[in-house]
């Protein structure tokens, strides 16, 4: 497959690029600063330096691709931010202009408490702990999810739990339109595997897929 990955210099994005290349896919990594990519990734991926907020600057990077994956997020959750929403808006506009349909947005399972959560997580941890603690991040992600739903694209929203940088095991659990019971954490490398798998599954279009280790 031909993938375009946004947020490729981040902890999750670089794992997506690596996993895709290892699987023999063709990858375009769109970044602000190519120096943020590991050398082996720069050597194998098609690296495009562009401002994701400018649809015209990224249209060629998404045109003709089988799927576009974004793992863009803020690195400072304590301050108001719109990076997820603004980047999603730019990507969606570029995809529409370029005629590319398959879009996968990385969000977060902490954003919604509901079916699939155990009672402690649903009624205490998410609304009373994570909600206030990560309110700026979650507000941004809600806006990005809304833009994705209204995009008219073949979208899938993927919601992982707390992410770790430790080694993954290549396995993950997933649930459609509900949370994963006991899904408290996940290795970024396993999330990368899940994102690539989901991007290649047309049946997940129009759904929210929760994943966990």
């Amino acid at each position: 497959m031909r993938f375009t990955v946004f947020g490729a210099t981040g902890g999750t994005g670089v794992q997506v690029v690596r996993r895709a290349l290892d699987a023999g896919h063709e990858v375009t990594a769109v970044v602000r600063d190519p120096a943020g990519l590991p050398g082996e990734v720069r050597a194998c991926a098609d690296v495009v330096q562009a401002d994701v907020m400018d649809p015209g600057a990224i249209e060629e990077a998404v045109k003709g691709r089988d799927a576009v994956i974004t793992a863009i997020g803020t690195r400072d959750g304590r301050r108001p931010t719109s990076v997820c929403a603004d980047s999603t808006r730019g990507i969606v506009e570029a995809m529409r202009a370029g005629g590319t349909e398959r879009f996968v947005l990385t969000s977060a399972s902490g954003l919604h408490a509901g079916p699939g959560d155990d009672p402690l997580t649903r009624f205490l941890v998410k609304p009373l702990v994570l909600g206030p603690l990560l309110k700026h991040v979650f507000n941004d992600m809600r806006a990005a999810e809304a833009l994705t739903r209204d995009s008219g694209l073949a979208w899938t929203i993927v919601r992982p739990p707390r992410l770790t940088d430790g080694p993954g095991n290549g396995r993950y659990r997933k649930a459609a339109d509900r949370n994963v019971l006991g899904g408290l954490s996940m290795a970024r490398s396993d999330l990368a595997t899940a994102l690539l798998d989901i991007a290649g599954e047309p049946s997940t279009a129009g759904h929210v897929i929760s994943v966990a280790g």
Side-chain angles (χ1 to χ4, degrees):
M1 294 181 68
R2 301 182 69 196
F3 290 105
T4 293
V5 180
F6 290 91
T9 58
T12 297
V14 72
Q15 291 289 345
V16 173
V17 175
R18 280 176 168 155
R19 293 293 178 277
L21 291 172
D22 288 346
H25 299 299
E26 184 178 329
V27 183
T28 298
V30 182
V31 298
R32 287 182 300 174
D33 182 7
L37 285 170
E40 73 274 12
V41 171
R42 290 200 306 271
C44 298
D46 177 20
V47 180
V48 174
Q49 185 174 10
D51 180 2
V52 68
M53 311 302 182
D54 180 359
I58 60 174
E59 182 179 335
E60 287 300 319
V62 301
K63 186 180 294 184
R65 301 314 193 270
D66 296 304
V68 174
I69 299 172
T70 178
I72 291 177
T74 182
R75 297 185 180 182
D76 186 356
R78 297 169 296 177
R79 299 179 181 179
T81 179
S82 61
V83 65
C84 290
D86 291 344
S87 60
T88 298
R89 186 178 293 107
I91 294 167
V92 165
E93 187 172 332
M95 291 180 65
R96 286 172 173 166
T100 303
E101 295 187 354
R102 189 74 174 106
F103 179 50
V104 177
L105 172 76
T106 307
S107 185
S109 66
L111 193 62
H112 294 281
D117 288 326
D118 62 83
L120 178 65
T121 300
R122 182 173 185 174
F123 297 110
L124 177 64
V125 175
K126 288 185 177 180
L128 300 181
V129 179
L130 293 183
L133 183 65
L134 299 174
K135 64 178 181 180
H136 297 310
V137 175
F138 285 173
N139 286 339
D140 188 24
M141 286 183 174
R142 286 190 186 93
E145 287 195 4
L147 287 165
T148 298
R149 292 176 186 272
D150 293 339
S151 65
L153 302 174
W155 59 266
T156 302
I157 295 168
V158 178
R159 293 179 182 160
R162 180 179 65 87
L163 297 173
T164 67
D165 293 317
N169 56 21
R171 300 190 300 274
Y172 61 91
R173 295 177 293 146
K174 67 178 181 179
D177 303 315
R178 60 184 291 117
N179 294 322
V180 177
L181 182 63
L184 301 179
S185 66
M186 185 178 200
R188 292 182 188 274
S189 59
D190 291 339
L191 172 57
T193 298
L195 288 168
L196 291 167
D197 288 348
I198 290 167
E201 296 176 2
S203 62
T204 65
H207 294 279
V208 174
I209 305 296
S210 294
V211 294

